[in-house]
Amino acid sequence: MKQPWLKVLLSLGSGILMSLAAAPLNAWWLAWIALVPFWVVVSRSQESGRSRRSLLYPLAWGFGYHGLTLSWILGLHPLTWMGLPWLASVAIAVFCWGFITLWGTAANLAWAWVMGWISRRPQREARSQKPDGVEIFRQTAIAPEVGKSFRSTLTKIWVGTALWCGLEFGLNLTPLSWTSLSFTQSPGNLVILHLGRLSGPFVVTAAIVACNGLLAEAWMQRQDNARSPLTLVAIAAGLLLSAHAIGYGLYLQPLADTPANALTLGIVQGNIPTREKLSPGGIQRAVRGYVGGYETLAAQGVDAVLTPEGSLPFLWDASRNPFYQAVVAQGVPAWLGIFVSDGESITQSLLSIASNGEIVGRYNKIKLVPLGEYIPFQATVGRWIGRLSPIKSSMVPGRTDQTFDTPFGRAIASICYESVFPELFRAQVATGGQFILTASNLDPYSEVLMAQHQAQDLMRAIETDRWAARATNTGYSGFIDPHGKVIWRSQPRVYQLHAETIYRRHTQTLYYRWGDWLTPTLLATAAMLLIFQQVKNLHP
């Protein structure tokens, strides 16, 4: 594998295989082998970390995985309805896709650099004597000793796994996050996703990376005619089976829901394209669709109705809002996604309206979409970037300590993009959230995003052990049980109403109690292993 172009192709193919594991194709089993070629390329590359060429391998993998998985972002085009020229619309869509892809790829660059450093760093100083008695030292790297030091190999795998989890955790703290490796298992592998109840989504990532690392190191040891490749394969098989066995045990736990905790909820999927929503005709269509849908579901005897994010395309004003007037007339509670003005700023909000018209809860979206709902570094670059949102006023994020009360107890609220941030859900479980309500507007994107967004909500339902109701503008609206089973899912790009029974729950998972304890544990032990190995090499 001396040709750089072959290494680039292998890295790109590895990333593409990982992307195929994710929704909507759901070839989840590929994730357990897809990282192997990239791991081998990074470990074998003599140029890694020493030349610009070494950057091509993680870049190729990142564009193969993040780029293909996030290709739905190109659905931003056309933006001509906002008055933008066709060429500018294409440029904006490509820029957004490329920037977000590179954002995720930056973590792969960091991972590849560290793994390359581990593969090159001196392991021991072997002494030899010159004829004149002067000592010289010969440094040997990890790569030639893979077959000789089984312990070093396991250390490398442990460090690689810990580093990948740590980088994913760090990305999830930023405004842009979507493509965790754990996400490749949703919704196809519900069993392994139950490991999320132990320590959140990164425990699934850890299992995937470790399994790939073991197989990659086994392949390299086989190439080196080493004695232990079968041992590494056996460990990989044991890890795969034991992880799924633990997940299966959690999956088999009965829900044990009681009729006293039942709620029959209705969902209205309005199917109003964003490019039409702000026109006079679009506003009338939204009022007819959501008010009429609410009244139909109320007549069916539901306990409450959930609408999508920004379902009514105008600012909240109870005295003039037809949906609010319908709630007062019908006496059935509702959760309305709408824009709320607080003077000079606007929040993307979900209002909890009681049967008597009282607003008993309000949740403001915390994780706003960069460039879509706010301009990063607005004071410096906002003057020339241009706004990609039809909302002219500045949106502000909600507080991280919000709670969302309803007439039926406290709920876990999430608005659209927030579905990718598990800590937001966990924090609301800690304050008494009993069920999940997700309001989203997935227009103008394709069905690929709809499937991936449902996959994110499915993971959050499993991790928190809560029922989830999700209302979207264009699809897939639906209901998910705490084991990740989709009870009902709407069709894309149709107007649709549906009612389903969910249950309030008060269970507490290990993840709820301890949070993501695995990632810092992996990082701390990886650091100690490296230090121990270095000390031992200096003093053999």
Side-chain angles (χ1 to χ4, degrees):
M1 202 167 32
K2 296 180 179 180
Q3 301 89 344
W5 62 266
L6 180 58
K7 296 177 184 179
V8 171
L9 289 178
L10 282 172
S11 300
L12 178 64
S14 175
I16 291 173
L17 285 177
M18 189 66 75
S19 179
L20 297 179
L25 295 181
N26 300 322
W28 59 267
W29 53 273
L30 282 174
W32 298 90
I33 56 174
L35 194 62
V36 170
F38 181 54
W39 186 297
V40 172
V41 166
V42 169
S43 297
R44 287 299 200 201
S45 175
Q46 296 299 316
E47 302 86 11
S48 182
R50 294 182 178 180
S51 71
R52 295 178 182 177
R53 185 182 296 168
S54 65
L55 298 177
L56 294 176
Y57 311 137
L59 280 172
W61 192 91
F63 270 86
Y65 177 52
H66 306 294
L68 185 57
T69 304
L70 296 169
S71 59
W72 50 263
I73 293 175
L74 297 172
L76 272 173
H77 175 74
L79 292 169
T80 51
W81 63 277
M82 293 176 60
L84 293 172
W86 186 89
L87 189 59
S89 174
V90 172
I92 288 171
V94 172
F95 170 79
C96 290
W97 170 77
F99 183 85
I100 297 173
T101 296
L102 285 172
W103 188 269
T105 302
N108 306 132
L109 285 164
W111 184 86
W113 185 89
V114 174
M115 294 301 288
W117 172 77
I118 292 174
S119 296
R120 294 189 312 273
R121 75 184 184 87
Q123 275 297 288
R124 67 168 56 99
E125 295 178 340
R127 299 187 177 187
S128 62
Q129 297 287 331
K130 284 186 175 180
D132 59 3
V134 178
E135 279 192 332
I136 63 172
F137 297 92
R138 178 175 57 86
Q139 293 183 336
T140 58
I142 288 179
E145 294 192 357
V146 168
K148 301 177 183 179
S149 178
F150 186 68
R151 184 168 53 194
S152 294
T153 299
L154 293 181
T155 296
K156 179 183 176 184
I157 294 167
W158 190 281
V159 172
T161 301
L163 180 62
W164 198 292
C165 291
L167 290 168
E168 280 197 358
F169 177 84
L171 274 179
N172 201 250
L173 298 177
T174 72
L176 294 175
S177 180
W178 191 265
T179 46
S180 165
L181 292 190
S182 59
F183 157 75
T184 63
Q185 302 301 289
S186 181
N189 191 356
L190 297 182
V191 168
I192 202 68
L193 290 177
H194 277 68
L195 295 182
R197 292 187 178 182
L198 304 179
S199 185
F202 303 126
V203 66
V204 180
T205 293
I208 292 173
V209 176
C211 187
N212 277 274
L214 286 162
L215 294 176
E217 293 295 326
W219 171 264
M220 289 186 288
Q221 291 204 3
R222 179 179 179 275
Q223 295 296 103
D224 294 336
N225 296 317
R227 297 180 178 180
S228 56
L230 291 180
T231 303
L232 293 174
V233 171
I235 295 174
L239 172 63
L240 181 68
L241 292 174
S242 59
H244 281 78
I246 295 171
Y248 188 62
L250 295 170
Y251 180 78
L252 288 179
Q253 291 181 355
L255 295 179
D257 292 314
T258 62
N261 290 320
L263 290 175
T264 301
L265 305 185
I267 283 177
V268 184
Q269 179 173 290
N271 191 40
I272 305 170
T274 302
R275 63 195 64 181
E276 299 177 13
K277 187 180 289 186
L278 296 182
S279 67
I283 293 174
Q284 294 177 8
R285 181 179 168 187
V287 170
R288 288 196 305 270
Y290 287 106
V291 173
Y294 166 82
E295 291 174 340
T296 299
L297 289 166
Q300 294 177 5
V302 299
D303 294 313
V305 176
L306 175 64
T307 68
E309 172 190 27
S311 52
L312 296 182
F314 43 79
L315 293 175
W316 170 253
D317 182 349
S319 63
R320 301 169 56 185
N321 190 291
F323 190 95
Y324 175 80
Q325 295 167 2
V327 173
V328 173
Q330 297 292 328
V332 174
W335 298 295
L336 175 65
I338 196 166
F339 306 105
V340 178
S341 176
D342 292 322
E344 297 181 356
S345 61
I346 290 177
T347 57
Q348 186 80 264
S349 301
L350 187 65
L351 300 180
S352 181
I353 310 173
S355 57
N356 61 358
E358 180 184 359
I359 307 300
V360 296
R362 173 183 169 185
Y363 177 83
N364 299 327
K365 188 175 183 179
I366 299 170
K367 296 291 185 177
L368 300 177
V369 179
L371 300 180
E373 295 173 322
Y374 79 101
I375 301 293
F377 312 110
Q378 190 167 7
T380 55
V381 300
R383 299 177 181 177
W384 57 271
I385 282 184
R387 194 166 188 79
L388 301 185
S389 171
I391 305 302
K392 301 304 180 183
S393 300
S394 175
M395 286 194 184
V396 295
R399 300 191 322 272
T400 57
D401 61 347
Q402 294 177 84
T403 57
F404 190 62
D405 291 318
T406 78
F408 314 101
R410 189 158 289 173
I412 303 162
S414 170
I415 300 180
C416 200
Y417 178 52
E418 295 181 325
S419 295
V420 77
F421 298 97
E423 281 298 317
L424 294 181
F425 290 73
R426 176 178 171 266
Q428 293 186 72
V429 172
T431 59
Q434 303 171 43
F435 55 97
I436 298 172
L437 299 173
T438 300
S440 304
N441 175 24
L442 305 183
D443 186 73
Y445 303 109
S446 69
E447 199 170 342
V448 173
L449 171 62
M450 299 176 194
Q452 290 184 6
H453 193 272
Q454 176 184 258
Q456 299 282 6
D457 274 341
L458 185 149
M459 294 170 68
R460 307 294 87 85
I462 293 175
E463 292 156 5
T464 58
D465 194 27
R466 295 294 186 268
W467 285 81
R470 34 192 329 269
T472 74
N473 179 23
T474 52
Y476 300 166
S477 302
F479 297 87
I480 303 172
D481 79 4
H483 283 313
K485 296 179 182 177
V486 179
I487 305 303
W488 175 82
R489 194 210 79 189
S490 72
Q491 295 302 307
R493 305 200 182 284
V494 295
Y495 179 82
Q496 203 157 1
L497 310 177
H498 189 80
E500 198 72 49
T501 299
I502 69 169
Y503 297 86
R504 293 165 286 185
R505 294 174 67 81
H506 302 84
T507 55
Q508 299 180 1
T509 65
L510 186 62
Y511 173 55
Y512 154 75
R513 292 193 294 269
W514 291 4
D516 180 16
W517 55 268
L518 180 66
T519 298
T521 301
L522 286 174
L523 289 171
T525 52
M528 288 189 290
L529 286 172
L530 286 175
I531 293 171
F532 174 79
Q533 191 176 72
Q534 183 67 22
V535 170
K536 185 174 181 180
N537 291 334
L538 291 175
H539 305 282

